[in-house]
Amino acid sequence: MQYDVDFLVIGTGIAGLTFALKVAEFGQVAVITKKEAAETNTNYAQGGIASVLGKYDSFELHVRDTLQSGDGLCKRDVVEMVVRDGPTRIRELMDWGVAFSRDHTGSLELDLGLEGGHSHKRIVHAGDFTGQVIEQVLLERVRSHGNIGLFENHIAVDLITYSTRVKRGTVTAAHEDLCCGAYVLATETNEVHTFRTKLTLLATGGAGKVYLYTSNPDVATGDGISMAYRAGALVANLEFVQFHPTCLYHPEAKNFLISEAVRGEGAILVDLRGRAFMKDYDSKQDLACRDVVARAIDHELKKSGDDCVFLDITHKEADFVSERFPNIYQKCLSFGTDMTKEPIPVVPAAHYMCGGVLVDMDGKTDIKRLYAVGETACTGLHGANRLASNSLLEALVYAHRAAEKAVKDLQSTDMEVCGDLPPWDPLGTADSDEAIVVSHNWDEIRRFMWNYVGIVRSNKRLLRAQHRIENIQKEIHEYYWDFRITSDLIELRNIATLAELIIQGAILRKESRGLHYNIQYPEKDDRFWLKDTILRRPFVG
Ligand SMILES: Cc1cc2nc3c(=O)[nH]c(=O)nc-3n(C[C@H](O)[C@H](O)[C@H](O)COP(=O)(O)OP(=O)(O)OC[C@H]3O[C@@H](n4cnc5c(N)ncnc54)[C@H](O)[C@@H]3O)c2cc1C
């Protein structure tokens, strides 16, 4: 089946939904999402959104903190633009119905939290359910908008570009290209539909599932970055993977994050013997930037052989802790830890992709009619290391700018330029009798990425990982074209591409900066590496 719409939005997190609501005033929008609509990274965000709303805070300070965290690679014009637009976007969310927490004094002022790397309290939050509250409000609006069609359980397989010809095993793409839509698998019926569009937005979120341990939900398999790369778009800075220092350590607590805001309220990291170790690593101690804290924990664990470290907030009033962190408190309690009485066991986990599809200040990629916003994009805001709670902010600001630009582009965009799109060619028609190939390769990629391309890297481990991924890619490739596609296979193909790109970026960058740390090059090298790592798929003629 073919759908013709003005705008195709892939992803239902804060980026996709905000964009959809804005462009829907000007055209028909199809919003597709691969599972239920609320299953997004956005929905799990606890801490909040960084923005300058406090009396003693200033744009200059937020800009300075962001640049410091980004370790030389942030684009200053992008940082200034995002920081200055923040308060307007927050007020817009509030006008749409998002109820952020007010301060404890009973005034109507917003309660602003503090997180690592911020010099002031500036994190706007809704308890510790910030993402969920935003997601609900945006989704309700999208569901009730007459110009928006929401397609749940629809997974985008590949972008369709003007020059794309899907042959057996080869996708060719010219670099000056035009996006005409996407092939999308409806997972409940196993049919692949063609969405023909004037403008396409990738808002597919992050790629935490490339790693064995991650704070991200299962949907975070880097699909947008992989699809854009396959279509010939530029991608950048994928070696900068942020590992969150504190995920709950429990065999059944899949992906549960203990927000940085807990350290912001005074929690201290201690080892099994109760020793507070952050003073050995950074003058800011427990409020050092995430990469410093994650590396410190990694070092402590490698040194001691322990399974986890602990986050201790028992010195604070029990009522304060359970009221400030109701979600975290309840979750820990359900796994047997009362955080008001005992330290929480924690480990680091892959959390956020600073790199992604390279875009300009309006969220435009270098393929015409293709935009990318949110975690899937690389805007230049985060540089080599994202400052905490700057990502929801970035998604909001860029969704707004991309929507304004896309609406302007719509007037001059002719659907017919793309002509009739070829229907999806189901090359492999047999159902797989060896699903084990998919599950084995999933596990293998995630494990070697954790062990070889994790928090601390070395040349030897990176080359080992490169060798592994080359072999796995060959296997996936053969399998992909022989059997009928499934969502597992689509995601496997995408995490393999992401793994390959992260490894490539990490091998190319011969220094340590921000989130990328290589023991062979422990220092930063501004002479050669004060630049982005930009990759493009080689042209296959
Ligand atoms: C536990 C946790 C806590 C966090 N806390 C904070 C915080 O306090 N502050 C902050 O600023 N940031 C936080 N972050 C990061 C932030 O939540 C994300 O960066 C942000 O929500 C990303 O939004 P997004 O719209 O780009 O993507 P997402 O919200 O991840 O949405 C992606 C969407 O794309 C869909 N999708 C993916 N691939 C396909 C496909 N092939 N076809 C169709 N649909 C697809 C997914 O199903 C999903 O709907 C946190 C992240 C996590 C995981």
Side-chain angles (χ1 to χ4, degrees), residues 10-16 32-35 37 39-49 115 135 154-157 203-206 215-217 219 221 223-224 227 255 257 351-352 373-376 386 388-393 395 494:
I10 309 178
T12 49
I14 189 169
I32 66 162
T33 187
K34 62 179 164 179
K35 295 219 164 128
E39 194 51 13
T40 59
N41 271 7
T42 300
N43 204 39
Y44 293 87
Q46 298 170 347
I49 311 180
E115 291 187 349
E135 182 75 25
H154 279 63
I155 178 168
V157 183
T204 48
S215 64
N216 293 186
V219 291
T221 49
D223 298 4
M227 284 190 285
N255 313 337
L257 185 88
H351 184 57
Y352 185 81
V373 171
E375 195 169 337
T376 215
R386 174 188 71 131
S389 287
N390 263 358
S391 40
L392 292 173
L393 174 69
N494 290 333

Side-chain angles (χ1 to χ4, degrees), residues 64-76 79 237 240 380-385 509 511 513-514 524 526 529-532:
R64 191 196 65 187
D65 294 344
T66 304
L67 294 176
Q68 243 171 34
S69 178
D71 212 3
L73 288 194
C74 298
K75 297 196 175 101
R76 182 180 263 277
V79 176
N237 289 357
F240 297 116
L381 175 71
H382 307 306
N385 187 8
R509 187 169 286 281
E511 64 160 356
R513 179 187 299 275
K524 198 160 47 181
D526 280 350
W529 291 105
L530 204 53
K531 59 181 182 191
D532 293 336

Side-chain angles (χ1 to χ4, degrees), residues 279-419:
K279 60 180 179 312
D280 301 344
Y281 294 90
D282 196 282
S283 58
K284 290 189 194 144
Q285 301 193 22
D286 295 87
L287 284 180
C289 272
R290 282 182 185 171
D291 56 321
V292 176
V293 181
R295 268 201 301 279
I297 298 176
D298 189 65
H299 188 248
E300 288 292 315
L301 292 179
K302 289 209 168 100
K303 201 169 62 175
S304 65
D306 294 340
D307 291 329
C308 64
V309 295
F310 297 85
L311 192 58
D312 190 354
I313 193 164
T314 54
H315 50 282
K316 290 274 177 175
E317 287 286 325
D319 287 350
F320 167 76
V321 171
S322 58
E323 274 166 36
R324 174 68 179 85
F325 303 109
N327 178 26
I328 298 173
Y329 172 72
Q330 283 304 333
K331 192 72 171 197
C332 288
L333 210 54
S334 73
F335 288 110
T337 300
D338 180 344
M339 67 189 276
T340 64
K341 298 199 177 102
E342 59 200 314
I344 310 166
V346 291
V347 283
H351 184 57
Y352 185 81
M353 282 302 305
C354 290
V357 185
L358 196 64
V359 293
D360 67 10
M361 280 178 86
D362 293 316
K364 283 183 91 159
T365 72
D366 67 326
I367 293 183
K368 288 187 195 122
R369 298 193 193 181
L370 180 66
Y371 290 75
V373 171
E375 195 169 337
T376 215
C378 180
T379 63
L381 175 71
H382 307 306
N385 187 8
R386 174 188 71 131
L387 181 66
S389 287
N390 263 358
S391 40
L392 292 173
L393 174 69
E394 180 196 48
L396 275 178
V397 170
Y398 270 86
H400 173 77
R401 291 178 73 89
E404 282 197 330
K405 185 74 184 148
V407 165
K408 276 191 204 138
D409 286 356
L410 182 69
Q411 327 299 339
S412 57
T413 304
D414 175 9
M415 182 83 94
E416 292 314 318
V417 170
C418 288

Side-chain angles (χ1 to χ4, degrees), residues 54-65:
K55 255 190 224 147
Y56 304 106
D57 200 3
S58 70
F59 291 140
E60 288 69 28
L61 288 173
H62 190 179
V63 167
R64 191 196 65 187
D65 294 344

Side-chain angles (χ1 to χ4, degrees), residues 460-476:
K460 221 185 209 169
R461 284 187 229 148
L462 289 174
L463 289 176
R464 235 173 239 158
Q466 191 176 45
H467 184 64
R468 291 286 241 284
I469 198 66
E470 279 168 7
N471 287 338
I472 291 180
Q473 283 283 39
K474 276 187 208 137
E475 206 169 298
I476 295 173

